[in-house]
Amino acid sequence: MRRPHIRSVAVAVAVTTAATGLAGTAFAGPDTGTAHAAAATTPAASVVSAARAAAFAHASATGVSRGDELHAQDVMIDPEGARHVRFNRTHQGMTVLGGDLVVHLNRQLSYTGVTRAADHTVRPAAATAAKLSADEAERKAASVAKGDAGAARLVVDARDGASALAYQVTVTDSGTTEGGGARTVVIDAVTGKVRSNTPNNDEFLSPELLDTLRERGEIADPATGIGARSASLASVAATSSAAAAVHYPRTAKGTGKSLFVGPVPLTTTQTARRTFVLKDPTRYGTETRDAKGSYTESFARGKQITTSNDVFGNGATSSRNSAAADAQYGITKTLDFYKKTFGRKGIANNSKPAKGMVHWGSKVANAFWDSDCGCMLYGDGDGDMFKKPLVVLDVTGHELTHGVVDATAKLEPTRVDAQGNQYGEPGSLNESLADIFGSNVEFFTNNPKDAPDYLIGEKLGLAQKFLRRLDHPSLDRLEGTVDYWQPEVYDAEVHAGSGVSSHAYYLLAEGSGQKTIGGVRYDSPTYDGSTVKGIGRAKATAIFYRALTRYMVSTTDFHDARVATLKAAKDLYGASGVEYRTVDQAWAAVNVTAANTPAIRH
């Protein structure tokens, strides 16, 4: 589950010259060479400058106004010539929550359109002044979030159709209890009303789902130690004694004896003759550490994981390093999927490491993407309902994809209840994208001990044999996931609502009806009884990734997503191609059409 948060504006420019298709033998797509050539002849600063100027020149379309400043978050230069600049906005120096937008340009840097989160004026009324002091806002935030408040700062809250002057306060706790950690509280600066109070971490399992499992008395005790007794993979430790003149640190080839996929190769760092660290220097220094049962959200406080023989774990929970092997394997495979498929260099596309901490907290039945830490946090299970650590491959792929969404569209739910359950289509779309790309991590990895499929959480040991599935979402009885869009979906719990776009993606990739793929039987229905012929997973995934990175913003809902994927299909394959037509058919097959687009959505 993704729990939303509001972060300060990051003023940074990262040029994305990734392939607009999916490179590789299994993922054939448009060539990437043109992208790098385009980047070389069009400096990022020039693109940002042109996009900023275009935004103000086309203010009636972009919604920017006097007093606004646009801060570039990402620059994307496509091989076919388009340029896209994602901006965060400030108004009179105040961050605008829900004010993000993407300005689109052609090769000549002329304006071609905009994708904007707020479709209304975002500045507070001229006469608006704060009636609450910063000190009062901090005290209120500390009270409602039950922690220590940081400094309150004025923002403009433009979310959900608003244009309110507000204070944003980060609240931290002592870090000693589950569910602890930072929260972001937004308080109306005029009325004192709490506008939002949300945790800064993203849970895989929602509070509602955990309650459902408790009510059913269900126990999830998945099999582990798969292949753990087979011969270990070759380790550099066997030959290190002969290397008298080595210099440290150096790259090593180790083995992880994981819980869920048996022995796996891991690239590690050798720091001394008999000291190996679970840190991968070939993937930006990506590392997994041991939280040692603490609830820390500081990666630096995690204990570095080392061995003397470059073998991590024993395939069972009796070794603390077994879960670490699963985590490091999943994190590096997710990084490899995004890099080799899209050219994305790290979760935020900034060539920085991904990080993970295992054994987080005491009896925690969950896994998290933590935006403050910038890392994955894995609980060991509560020993009652969940018996094993939540370190399976698609959980990692799902949660790290929330990090990718955080770095791009920043999709957020429209509301969060007192228990932490989320509601609303943008949040549902976020969950769906995490499932879509999490499933793709499995296909990319193609490990026979965790065979790829369109199921999510199939190795968690649940009675229904999976948590969610993309082909026929309503077969998930635990979360009540839906197959088709209806007006009520706009305020559905996000995991329930996620089925709409997940189903559309599956239909686009594989088509409707019965089929067996990789030994798994699927039977995907359609809302109108139509037959959809899929275009293949490679093209479908290329379209959804292009849509996420270029045409989605924080408020994108399912009808917006339909438009975004149509634009992406047009970019990649042309408006007259079968790919474009199938995108339209797939959304119609889940009852998302131009004709039933709600008049007012956000």
Side-chain angles (χ1 to χ4, degrees):
M1 172 183 177
R2 181 191 187 282
R3 285 185 164 176
H5 58 279
I6 306 298
R7 294 177 295 181
S8 59
V9 173
V11 184
V13 178
V15 180
T16 299
T17 57
T20 52
L22 293 90
T25 55
F27 288 87
D31 179 69
T32 65
T34 309
H36 294 284
T41 57
T42 311
S46 299
V47 178
V48 171
S49 179
R52 185 178 288 113
F56 284 96
H58 298 269
S60 60
T62 62
V64 298
S65 61
R66 184 184 298 272
D68 284 354
E69 290 185 2
L70 298 179
H71 305 274
Q73 178 196 3
D74 203 359
V75 180
M76 294 153 281
I77 300 175
D78 298 334
E80 68 276 11
R83 284 91 168 95
H84 317 263
V85 182
R86 187 178 294 276
F87 288 109
N88 288 326
R89 183 187 330 196
T90 60
H91 180 71
Q92 295 182 349
M94 297 178 290
T95 298
V96 179
L97 311 181
D100 50 303
L101 66 157
V102 183
V103 177
H104 310 293
L105 309 172
N106 62 18
R107 188 186 297 273
Q108 290 73 39
L109 303 186
S110 297
Y111 173 83
T112 59
V114 66
T115 304
R116 52 189 281 202
D119 56 4
H120 59 280
T121 301
V122 299
R123 62 183 182 275
T128 299
K131 295 183 179 179
L132 214 66
S133 71
D135 286 345
E136 289 171 323
E138 289 164 12
R139 287 195 294 271
K140 185 158 193 174
S143 176
V144 298
K146 296 179 174 57
D148 301 321
R153 63 190 187 95
L154 283 172
V155 297
V156 180
D157 189 356
R159 299 171 296 171
D160 200 25
S163 187
L165 187 67
Y167 285 104
Q168 179 179 295
V169 187
T170 298
V171 179
T172 58
D173 73 356
S174 60
T176 59
T177 58
E178 180 181 357
R183 300 177 72 90
T184 296
V185 183
V186 179
I187 296 175
D188 196 294
V190 177
T191 67
K193 175 185 176 182
V194 177
R195 302 183 65 84
S196 60
N197 172 18
T198 55
N200 287 9
N201 57 25
D202 306 326
E203 297 177 333
F204 181 68
L205 304 175
S206 70
E208 185 173 298
L209 172 63
L210 292 172
D211 287 344
T212 299
L213 291 169
R214 289 188 190 100
E215 289 169 5
R216 294 186 176 200
E218 186 164 335
I219 295 175
D221 191 10
T224 56
I226 300 171
R229 296 182 181 178
S230 61
S232 64
L233 300 174
S235 169
V236 70
T239 58
S240 61
S241 60
V246 286
H247 298 281
Y248 304 113
R250 68 171 189 166
T251 301
K253 298 297 181 183
T255 300
K257 290 189 175 181
S258 71
L259 294 172
F260 292 104
V261 289
V264 292
L266 296 173
T267 302
T268 60
T269 301
Q270 185 178 11
T271 58
R273 181 172 173 270
R274 294 189 60 79
T275 305
F276 301 86
V277 182
L278 194 55
K279 181 176 183 178
D280 188 338
T282 68
R283 294 175 175 89
Y284 324 112
T286 287
E287 182 179 2
T288 298
R289 292 188 175 185
D290 189 337
K292 303 289 287 187
S294 76
Y295 294 90
T296 181
E297 291 180 277
S298 169
F299 186 72
R301 294 181 181 177
K303 183 179 183 297
Q304 213 167 45
I305 297 172
T306 64
T307 68
S308 61
N309 62 355
D310 215 5
V311 177
F312 295 83
N314 63 1
T317 55
S318 57
S319 169
R320 297 183 68 82
N321 290 347
S322 298
D326 281 279
Q328 183 78 352
Y329 179 71
I331 293 169
T332 55
K333 287 300 182 184
T334 302
L335 289 176
D336 288 353
F337 160 71
Y338 276 106
K339 184 176 182 181
K340 294 181 181 179
T341 308
F342 307 117
R344 189 174 187 85
K345 298 177 181 179
I347 298 305
N349 199 28
N350 57 4
S351 299
K352 290 187 177 180
K355 297 170 286 187
M357 283 197 287
V358 292
H359 309 302
W360 189 81
S362 175
K363 296 186 176 181
V364 175
N366 227 320
F368 311 79
W369 164 254
D370 190 297
S371 59
D372 290 339
C373 173
C375 58
M376 284 293 304
L377 307 175
Y378 298 92
D380 283 335
D382 57 6
D384 180 19
M385 187 167 57
F386 280 88
K387 301 287 190 180
K388 300 292 193 310
L390 277 78
V391 290
V392 298
L393 181 61
D394 60 4
V395 169
T396 295
H398 173 105
E399 288 299 314
L400 286 177
T401 295
H402 282 316
V404 173
V405 175
D406 276 349
T408 54
K410 295 182 176 66
L411 291 159
E412 294 191 345
T414 54
R415 68 181 179 92
V416 182
D417 70 16
Q419 289 70 47
N421 297 296
Q422 300 176 45
Y423 301 84
E425 286 188 22
S428 294
L429 181 59
N430 193 340
E431 287 301 322
S432 172
L433 291 167
D435 282 352
I436 288 167
F437 292 114
S439 173
N440 269 274
V441 168
E442 281 192 352
F443 279 103
F444 171 84
T445 303
N446 197 25
N447 188 320
K449 293 170 185 171
D450 189 358
D453 50 46
Y454 290 103
L455 311 177
I456 301 298
E458 72 278 4
K459 291 182 74 71
L460 291 177
L462 297 168
Q464 71 177 18
K465 306 301 183 184
F466 56 86
L467 180 55
R468 288 181 295 277
R469 59 187 300 150
L470 279 60
D471 67 314
H472 195 166
S474 65
L475 294 179
D476 166 23
R477 310 298 186 189
L478 290 170
E479 296 172 306
T481 308
V482 300
D483 292 324
Y484 312 116
W485 183 83
Q486 297 291 344
E488 296 78 13
V489 170
Y490 196 75
D491 194 46
E493 192 276 329
V494 294
H495 298 89
S498 70
V500 175
S501 48
S502 292
H503 193 188
Y505 167 82
Y506 176 87
L507 290 166
L508 178 63
E510 302 291 351
S512 58
Q514 298 181 4
K515 55 181 56 68
T516 299
I517 304 170
V520 179
R521 295 180 63 186
Y522 302 97
D523 189 359
S524 192
T526 59
Y527 178 79
D528 53 4
S530 63
T531 298
V532 178
K533 184 178 180 181
I535 61 173
R537 183 171 47 83
K539 288 182 177 180
T541 305
I543 289 168
F544 269 69
Y545 181 79
R546 167 65 75 100
L548 166 65
T549 54
R550 272 68 167 172
Y551 299 114
M552 292 184 186
V553 287
S554 59
T555 59
T556 298
D557 59 24
F558 291 135
H559 285 81
D560 295 329
R562 170 186 173 272
V563 174
T565 50
L566 284 169
K567 289 179 178 178
K570 180 181 177 181
D571 288 349
L572 294 171
Y573 308 109
S576 61
V578 65
E579 296 86 359
Y580 185 92
R581 293 194 301 273
T582 308
V583 169
D584 197 32
Q585 292 167 4
W587 283 108
V590 299
N591 197 35
V592 176
T593 67
N596 66 14
T597 302
I600 299 176
R601 291 166 284 150
H602 41 73

